[in-house]
Amino acid sequence: MQTPRTAGDSIDLSALPQIPGLRFRHFRGEADLPGMLEVATASDGADRIDTARTLDGLRASYQALTHCDPFADMVLAEVDERLVGYTRGWWKDEVGGALMHLHTGFVAPAWRRRGIGGAMLRWIEDRQRAIGLQLSASRPQLFNVYVTEGELARAALLESAGYHIERHFFSMVRPNLQGITPFRLPDGLEIRPVVPEHCGPIWTADQEAMRGHWGMAEPEAGAFDAWQRETADSRHLWSVAWDAATDQVVGQVRAFVRDAENARNGRLRGYTEFISVREPWRGRGVARALIAHSLQTQARAGLTESALEVDSGNATGATRTYEACGFETTARNKVYRKRL
């Protein structure tokens, strides 16, 4: 985060909506984080989102923002100086595609359907249009918003503003880690314990494998170093296949655990995520073997269930692979898009 504004500059949205004591303002810095956490947590509860947010996690994410200046790219709504909602925008450069303008927003349940969300949406769109003009006058540019199945009010707001569903993503859960069917890797491939020296080849292989997938963005400067720091505590759960003859990474599953979420929900769930196989080895059962190995690893670590999310339009047939590994669809989430 940059140097905070001393007064949290007011934003003139007085025309809409008309609520006594309501005002919109800019982000003030770290002092706003506790109120933002309260609003987001209440919003999650109303929308059946089981993510466990923490103040430390929110602080860390705002210290690592890319393509976003929170002091310019956010609007906060407060009533009688109590935070009731906020929205933030940022952008990413899609591989071989458009410039994508993303935004997220929250309104406390007690203040929904009173025009606050709509006013913030109009503000963030105007802000992102201005950024888009600065970035490029020729490239296609789109608003891109991820909405979970339970966010009915947000979906309705976006649809009323001209957004359309571009893609569905399925949340899937394997409800137990018992009776996991092992799948054998093709001859010549082996799974090796991950050591720090493997991080470079693992990162490079994943970037190559995922480059053609829908919605992928170019990595930011410093992304590899940040990734190394963020994943240090979960590498014991990773399953990475190597070609013994060439000493190259073939495929990977980088599982992890969300401890705060598990504590809040009273469960022991792992996440079987970041699944990729390089193109020359696809269609040979590598992903299935790595997923089975990952589930067994999670079980040995004391976890009792696992979850993942999959693009329903994945060209490699990922959904069928995950179903064969015991995962069941529990939610259907959406990506909404609209041209700037």
Side-chain angles (χ1 to χ4, degrees), residues 24-322:
F24 297 89
R25 63 170 176 83
H26 287 290
F27 180 62
R28 290 175 175 168
E30 189 162 335
D32 276 328
L33 297 183
M36 290 165 53
L37 178 64
E38 181 180 349
V39 167
T41 300
S43 180
D44 288 346
D47 296 332
R48 298 183 287 115
I49 298 173
D50 61 8
T51 298
R53 303 177 189 271
T54 66
L55 187 58
D56 286 343
L58 190 62
R59 183 180 297 112
S61 68
Y62 271 69
Q63 290 172 344
L65 295 177
T66 56
H67 294 162
C68 174
D69 173 4
F71 298 100
D73 301 333
M74 286 186 68
V75 61
L76 291 81
E78 58 184 17
V79 176
D80 296 330
E81 299 186 353
R82 182 182 179 88
L83 197 65
V84 299
Y86 68 93
T87 189
R88 177 176 66 84
W90 67 101
W91 62 271
K92 69 177 183 179
D93 187 3
E94 191 175 53
V95 174
L99 285 170
M100 310 304 298
H101 295 269
L102 299 85
H103 54 81
T104 186
F106 304 90
V107 177
W111 293 95
R112 293 181 175 182
R113 302 189 183 280
R114 302 178 69 173
I116 294 173
M120 294 194 303
L121 176 61
R122 290 188 291 275
W123 185 91
I124 199 65
E125 285 187 342
D126 287 344
R127 171 63 184 160
Q128 292 186 308
R129 288 190 184 97
I131 292 171
L133 289 173
Q134 297 172 354
L135 292 174
S136 174
S138 58
R139 287 185 62 185
Q141 301 190 42
L142 300 167
F143 295 115
N144 186 97
V145 185
Y146 178 87
V147 179
T148 65
E149 184 177 85
E151 293 180 283
L152 301 179
R154 191 161 181 237
L157 175 62
L158 292 171
E159 290 171 8
S160 70
Y163 289 73
H164 67 275
I165 299 172
E166 184 74 20
R167 204 83 161 188
H168 286 87
F169 284 77
F170 297 157
S171 294
M172 305 185 76
V173 171
R174 180 175 170 122
N176 66 75
L177 298 183
Q178 303 166 1
I180 298 165
T181 302
F183 294 97
R184 179 175 172 168
L185 283 168
D187 291 342
L189 303 187
E190 60 187 22
I191 296 174
R192 302 175 183 174
V194 178
V195 296
E197 292 74 22
H198 291 170
C199 286
I202 290 172
W203 168 271
T204 301
D206 185 59
Q207 292 294 312
E208 176 190 317
M210 297 301 294
R211 192 166 181 82
H213 283 60
W214 186 85
M216 289 302 298
E218 298 286 356
E220 308 290 343
F224 173 66
D225 292 338
W227 174 80
Q228 283 187 293
R229 292 191 299 271
E230 293 165 0
T231 61
D233 293 338
S234 61
R235 292 176 199 155
H236 65 289
L237 295 174
W238 293 5
S239 299
V240 181
W242 295 73
D243 184 334
T246 63
D247 208 35
Q248 293 184 39
V249 172
V250 168
Q252 56 194 281
V253 176
R254 304 199 310 270
F256 61 90
V257 179
R258 292 173 175 158
D259 291 323
E261 180 184 298
N262 280 345
R264 192 188 77 170
N265 293 301
R267 66 190 181 202
L268 294 171
R269 172 181 288 185
Y271 283 86
T272 306
E273 287 284 14
F274 304 109
I275 302 166
S276 66
V277 177
R278 293 173 65 193
E279 190 168 1
W281 287 273
R282 290 176 186 166
R284 298 168 59 184
V286 175
R288 185 176 294 190
L290 288 174
I291 291 167
H293 184 273
S294 177
L295 293 173
Q296 291 171 331
T297 301
Q298 291 173 61
R300 287 194 296 270
L303 302 170
T304 58
E305 63 180 80
S306 194
L308 56 79
E309 185 170 72
V310 59
D311 176 359
S312 66
N314 185 291
T316 63
T319 303
R320 293 190 300 274
T321 297
Y322 303 153

